[in-house]
Amino acid sequence: MTTYGSFPGTRPRRLRTSPVMRRMVAETRLHPADFILPAFVREGVAEPVPISSMPGVVQHTRDSLKKAAAEAVAAGISGIMLFGVPEESKKDGAGTAGTDPDGILQVALRDVRAEVGDDLLVMSDLCLDEFTDHGHCGVLDDQGRVDNDATLERYAEMAQVQADAGAHVVGPSGMMDGQIGVIRDALDQIGREDVAILAYTAKYASAFYGPFREAVGSSLQGDRRTYQQDPANLRESMRELELDLEEGADMVMVKPAGPYLDVLAKVADAVDVPVVAYQISGEYAMIEAAAEKGWIDRDKAILESLTGIRRAGARSILTYWATEVAQTLR
């Protein structure tokens, strides 16, 4: 064999020679504590209801939700984010079921806290979209537009009710201007300085939310582009980030995760608070559908997608595979 000088003089492949070598030099690792499980609880059902566009995910009953929370604790994940699905007859223009102490979300918060105590962070989605008959994240004005400041009043009440029901963390996801400051003030006014705020800081108006709409029984009319962010924009996210931190956010989120890894990396580089990413329903559904067709290796694709999100800068990841992956890692 002919040799040409001393090349290759450097051989990076030496660090890829075996599984144990690759494991030792890995720059990014997944751990069960990295994960938060999003979970849906539906009012008035006797059995869990499968979500057709999200194979393996269900709308829980109160009892099955408690079981899922206990499994999450056993798997070692950090939190569970609850979404309430009320009966259709209880939806109205103001989303009053969302602030009813006996509404499905508040009942579920109390159930889960009673089941797991402080062994799992119990988080609550703080938004009106599941509870409004028009499906928007806020109340509407007389011209059918989302009224930012009137919605903030509803969010303040919602935060207090969720804190009273046992939420360790509230997750304002409506993308209203000023929502973090109003919610922080509302919590502090009732002596709940201990309740943390996970701000949905960069939440984009994404096509990947489709399966989630089924999961929460959405009544959405139109779209949410007047308040969720334009997928074309990055600097806008940095402005939202600055505002959320000024208003008192304890943690910040980028949503969706996979299509916005550049945003996630930019946010993670800019802050010294925990950064969270939400691997949303469409991301989940694409992998499950491709795996069902035999086009990809399901388990490897799941781990690769989560590793990419973690590598981009997410300290924690909301994923519907949270418990499954944590059990595998353990």
Side-chain angles (χ1 to χ4, degrees), residues 21-311:
M21 176 67 82
R22 293 191 294 272
R23 185 173 70 240
M24 185 185 77
V25 301
E27 299 173 29
T28 304
R29 303 180 193 277
L30 297 174
H31 187 278
D34 296 339
F35 302 122
I36 299 164
L37 176 68
F40 308 100
V41 57
R42 179 171 171 178
E43 188 172 26
V45 295
E47 299 291 336
V49 179
I51 300 167
S52 63
S53 54
M54 300 176 68
V57 180
V58 301
Q59 294 171 327
H60 284 286
T61 66
R62 290 174 60 186
D63 284 341
S64 70
L65 177 65
K66 289 188 287 186
K67 181 180 178 181
E71 290 174 349
V73 172
I77 73 173
S78 289
I80 186 169
M81 175 70 80
L82 301 185
F83 297 85
V85 183
E87 295 178 348
E88 282 294 321
S89 63
K90 294 185 179 179
K91 295 182 179 182
D92 59 26
T96 53
T99 50
D100 181 353
D102 295 319
I104 183 59
L105 182 52
Q106 283 67 250
V107 169
L109 285 166
R110 290 194 291 271
D111 284 345
V112 174
R113 276 302 300 273
E115 183 72 22
V116 302
D118 294 330
D119 293 336
L120 186 71
L121 286 174
V122 180
M123 307 178 176
S124 56
D125 179 58
L126 200 164
C127 196
L128 293 172
D129 60 313
E130 299 100 316
F131 306 102
T132 56
D133 54 14
H134 46 72
H136 279 288
C137 296
V139 296
L140 305 183
D141 64 16
D142 57 7
Q143 297 184 52
R145 302 171 302 189
V146 175
D147 186 325
N148 190 95
D149 294 1
T151 298
L152 293 181
E153 295 181 16
R154 300 287 296 123
Y155 285 1
E157 183 181 358
M158 200 172 195
Q160 293 176 339
V161 170
Q162 291 181 355
D164 286 342
H168 293 106
V169 180
V170 295
S173 60
M175 291 300 291
M176 296 297 118
D177 294 340
Q179 63 182 13
I180 303 304
V182 167
I183 289 167
R184 183 72 270 159
D185 285 349
L187 291 169
D188 292 351
Q189 285 172 13
I190 61 168
R192 297 311 305 269
E193 294 88 353
D194 58 318
V195 174
I197 298 177
L198 168 55
Y200 284 60
T201 292
K203 182 179 180 181
Y204 285 87
S206 174
F208 292 97
Y209 295 135
F212 181 88
R213 305 273 162 81
E214 178 190 354
V216 297
S218 175
S219 303
L220 181 63
Q221 302 166 18
D223 59 45
R224 296 174 176 148
R225 293 184 180 275
T226 63
Y227 45 103
Q228 293 179 355
Q229 288 179 231
D230 186 337
N233 295 346
L234 172 58
R235 285 194 297 269
E236 183 179 23
S237 290
M238 304 312 292
R239 186 182 185 198
E240 293 280 3
L241 174 64
E242 181 180 357
L243 292 169
D244 282 355
L245 293 175
E246 287 178 355
E247 292 174 23
D250 299 290
M251 298 171 278
V252 296
M253 183 194 293
V254 175
K255 180 182 180 182
Y260 296 89
L261 294 182
D262 60 325
V263 180
L264 176 58
K266 186 86 169 179
V267 169
D269 285 344
V271 301
D272 57 5
V273 300
V275 176
V276 180
Y278 196 146
Q279 185 182 55
I280 66 170
S281 59
E283 298 175 72
Y284 175 95
M286 286 193 301
I287 290 177
E288 289 288 352
E292 190 274 333
K293 291 285 189 181
W295 295 339
I296 60 174
D297 183 311
R298 176 185 180 274
D299 293 347
K300 289 181 180 179
I302 291 169
L303 290 176
E304 183 176 340
S305 69
L306 293 169
T307 300
I309 296 166
R310 185 76 176 84
R311 187 184 63 243

